[in-house]
Amino acid sequence: MKTIGLWARRLVMVLLFAGALAATFEAVSGVKAKELTRDFLHEYTYKDDRGVFRVFGLSFKFMPSEHTMKPLTSAAEAINKGTKLETAINWEKYPKHKVTATGYTAGYESTGKNPGHPEYGITYSGVKVKRDMFSTIAADLTIFPIGTVLFIPDYGYGVVADKGAAIQGDELDLYFDTVSDVYEYWGKKELDVYIVKKGNGSFTEEELTELNESESLQAFRQQYTNQKNSY
């Protein structure tokens, strides 16, 4: 009898502890224990030639990363079709925004800094300026936060990494390596750009490298290289 009483007290203590633990988890995370159970446990029925079976198991949910972009197209498909980036993707599925875009460089004429300056070529985000498959661009951060990825026809992908006192509203500054590139190949244009991903206010060198090394876009690198060599 004493043994039964002892086990009963232990059971009550375990239940009380479990209830306290669940309440603490709910208070901290905002997720109810029954919701957690519902999300991670699942039950289904299947039938084969042996009969009908009920299966119990675990299901998993994944939170997509804000810094991850799905492959936009197949590299092999692009090579086979010989398509250009502008026509390989249906850009109309992305939000469109009309802007006035000008070109800029890291030089004194655009930034007031010379090569000897400690901040020469460094954007507001801390990332070095770059002209590549994904280039650094400047924008009004109230419109396009740092880290926003845009597709800009005739320029390519631009990642907002910089700002400027003269850039306000629907204006962009697109980075080019030299002043002659700016004047000869861009100047000033009014056009629609496509918002591929809205930024969250931060951007790093590692993220820029990852974007430029994206396997799904390497088929277009030769096109970009040829275009850049023509400057």
Side-chain angles (χ1 to χ4, degrees):
M1 194 69 177
K2 290 182 178 180
T3 302
I4 295 175
L6 178 62
W7 280 105
R9 285 194 297 273
R10 288 181 177 177
L11 179 60
V12 171
M13 291 178 64
V14 168
L15 292 175
L16 289 173
F17 177 76
L21 188 62
T24 302
F25 175 81
E26 181 178 337
V28 173
S29 67
V31 179
K32 295 182 180 181
K34 64 180 181 180
E35 293 177 350
L36 185 67
T37 303
R38 180 193 61 206
D39 286 344
F40 283 88
L41 292 179
H42 71 126
E43 172 188 350
Y44 64 92
T45 302
Y46 78 95
K47 181 179 181 180
D48 62 16
D49 54 1
R50 296 172 297 172
V52 178
F53 297 86
R54 295 176 66 194
V55 179
F56 299 87
L58 294 175
S59 61
F60 299 92
K61 293 187 177 181
F62 298 91
M63 185 70 71
S65 169
E66 291 186 357
H67 297 285
T68 300
M69 288 172 52
K70 296 179 180 179
L72 297 177
T73 186
S74 163
E77 180 183 359
I79 291 173
N80 293 336
K81 293 184 177 180
T83 54
K84 294 184 178 181
L85 188 55
E86 277 79 1
T87 57
I89 298 162
N90 177 20
W91 296 110
E92 294 299 327
K93 68 183 180 181
Y94 294 100
K96 186 164 54 176
H97 196 107
K98 186 174 290 294
V99 302
T100 299
T102 54
Y104 83 108
T105 71
Y108 186 85
E109 66 286 336
S110 295
T111 65
K113 302 181 181 110
N114 289 312
H117 193 286
E119 295 180 359
Y120 179 82
I122 305 299
T123 64
Y124 177 75
S125 66
V127 172
K128 294 179 182 178
V129 291
K130 192 175 187 67
R131 180 75 175 105
D132 204 333
M133 295 286 292
F134 286 81
S135 304
T136 54
I137 63 175
D140 182 334
L141 303 187
T142 64
I143 306 295
F144 301 117
I146 292 290
T148 297
V149 178
L150 303 175
F151 181 75
I152 305 153
D154 298 325
Y155 181 78
Y157 288 107
V159 187
V160 178
D162 211 351
K163 66 175 185 176
I167 304 173
Q168 297 181 355
D170 301 322
E171 297 179 342
L172 296 178
D173 253 2
L174 313 182
Y175 177 73
F176 286 88
D177 291 322
T178 68
V179 176
S180 61
D181 290 348
V182 172
Y183 283 104
E184 187 171 355
Y185 298 102
W186 193 264
K188 182 177 182 179
K189 297 181 182 181
E190 186 176 288
L191 75 167
D192 290 323
V193 299
Y194 300 91
I195 305 171
V196 179
K197 183 178 82 74
K198 200 71 176 286
N200 64 358
S202 67
F203 190 62
T204 66
E205 289 282 358
E206 291 76 13
E207 289 174 286
L208 182 58
T209 298
E210 183 179 351
L211 287 172
N212 276 306
E213 293 179 355
S214 171
E215 183 179 352
S216 65
L217 292 175
Q218 294 314 303
F220 301 101
R221 180 163 290 283
Q222 189 58 50
Q223 296 175 18
Y224 164 75
T225 302
N226 292 341
Q227 179 187 31
K228 190 173 182 181
N229 289 340
S230 70
Y231 289 175

